[in-house]
Amino acid sequence: MLSTPFDQPTVIRDATVNDAAQLIVLMRMLAEYEGYAVRFVITNDELINRGLAMNAPAQFKAWVAAIDRTLLGYAIVYTIPFTFDLRPTIVLKELFVVDSEHRNGYGRQLFSAVNQYAQSINARLLRWQVLPNNDSAKRFYRSLGRSKDSQWESWSLDLDSTNSRCFTPCSR
């Protein structure tokens, strides 16, 4: 546990069903920052059903930074079960800490929880993406001794776009 300026214990812990409503608020804050808020459709029920419910297979794992019952940040990962070496890869999908708490170490603690989890399942690789203009995230990851992956580029196909339906060269 970490002590805050107000001597309230800060805990990094697994997210639970009881965190869903606050987690959605933080996720929406990240969506606004990253520019996809208009497409953000996650609901409390979906968040619970897809990963926080104890009685269903989880599609993700999440940790929160909390003081008492107030969430200050979170990390969400999903697992690629195996690649060429038959070991899992962990994808850090989201790591977010509210602006006012950036200097309190919660990001480091959340990243540490993710790293410990990855090691506990014998993952070979932990991957994540950073927006090109998110200099504060880049500084954060560099401060952890991490560096940009120079071997791979991120590519995508928006399956909702018209061009995704073309299996041969499409004319525009």
Side-chain angles (χ1 to χ4, degrees), residues 23 43 82 94 97 101 121 137 149 152 167-168:
L23 197 48
T43 64
F82 69 92
E94 297 179 359
V97 176
E101 302 296 332
I121 64 166
D149 186 341
W152 296 95
F167 293 101
T168 58

Side-chain angles (χ1 to χ4, degrees), residues 52-83:
L52 299 179
M54 300 289 272
N55 59 351
Q59 295 177 16
F60 67 89
K61 182 159 179 59
W63 296 265
V64 294
I67 293 179
D68 194 22
R69 292 185 200 123
T70 302
L71 302 189
L72 303 172
Y74 71 95
I76 291 180
V77 302
Y78 63 88
T79 303
I80 299 171
F82 69 92
T83 59

Side-chain angles (χ1 to χ4, degrees), residues 141-157:
Y141 292 119
R142 280 189 200 106
S143 78
L144 298 174
R146 308 308 179 244
S147 59
K148 181 179 177 185
D149 186 341
S150 60
Q151 294 182 320
W152 296 95
E153 293 179 10
S154 221
W155 290 53
S156 66
L157 171 63

Side-chain angles (χ1 to χ4, degrees), residues 13-170:
R13 59 172 173 75
D14 290 349
T16 69
V17 171
N18 296 328
D19 297 319
Q22 285 188 73
L23 197 48
I24 291 287
V25 171
L26 295 179
M27 293 173 81
R28 186 170 296 281
M29 290 170 73
L30 179 61
E32 289 170 8
Y33 177 79
E34 292 186 342
Y36 58 89
V38 295
R39 296 178 308 191
F40 187 87
V41 297
I42 300 172
T43 64
N44 284 3
D45 287 344
E46 286 296 330
L47 194 62
I48 291 167
N49 292 336
R50 292 176 184 256
L52 299 179
M54 300 289 272
N55 59 351
Q59 295 177 16
F60 67 89
K61 182 159 179 59
W63 296 265
V64 294
I67 293 179
D68 194 22
R69 292 185 200 123
T70 302
L71 302 189
L72 303 172
Y74 71 95
I76 291 180
V77 302
Y78 63 88
T79 303
I80 299 171
F82 69 92
T83 59
F84 68 92
D85 60 2
L86 297 177
R87 292 174 62 194
T89 293
I90 299 299
V91 178
L92 175 58
K93 180 59 183 120
E94 297 179 359
L95 176 71
F96 178 78
V97 176
V98 295
D99 284 344
S100 63
E101 302 296 332
H102 276 192
R103 301 273 182 223
N104 290 329
Y106 307 137
R108 282 181 184 277
Q109 292 178 7
L110 288 163
F111 192 88
S112 178
V114 169
N115 187 46
Q116 288 173 18
Y117 171 71
Q119 290 179 9
S120 78
I121 64 166
N122 196 31
R124 183 188 62 83
L125 192 60
L126 172 57
R127 291 187 174 209
W128 63 94
Q129 296 178 313
V130 176
L131 287 174
N133 65 346
N134 192 342
D135 293 328
S136 64
K138 292 176 188 179
R139 277 191 304 276
F140 169 73
Y141 292 119
R142 280 189 200 106
S143 78
L144 298 174
R146 308 308 179 244
S147 59
K148 181 179 177 185
D149 186 341
S150 60
Q151 294 182 320
W152 296 95
E153 293 179 10
S154 221
W155 290 53
S156 66
L157 171 63
D158 182 345
L159 296 173
D160 288 340
S161 74
T162 304
N163 289 338
S164 72
R165 292 168 181 79
C166 299
F167 293 101
T168 58
C170 298

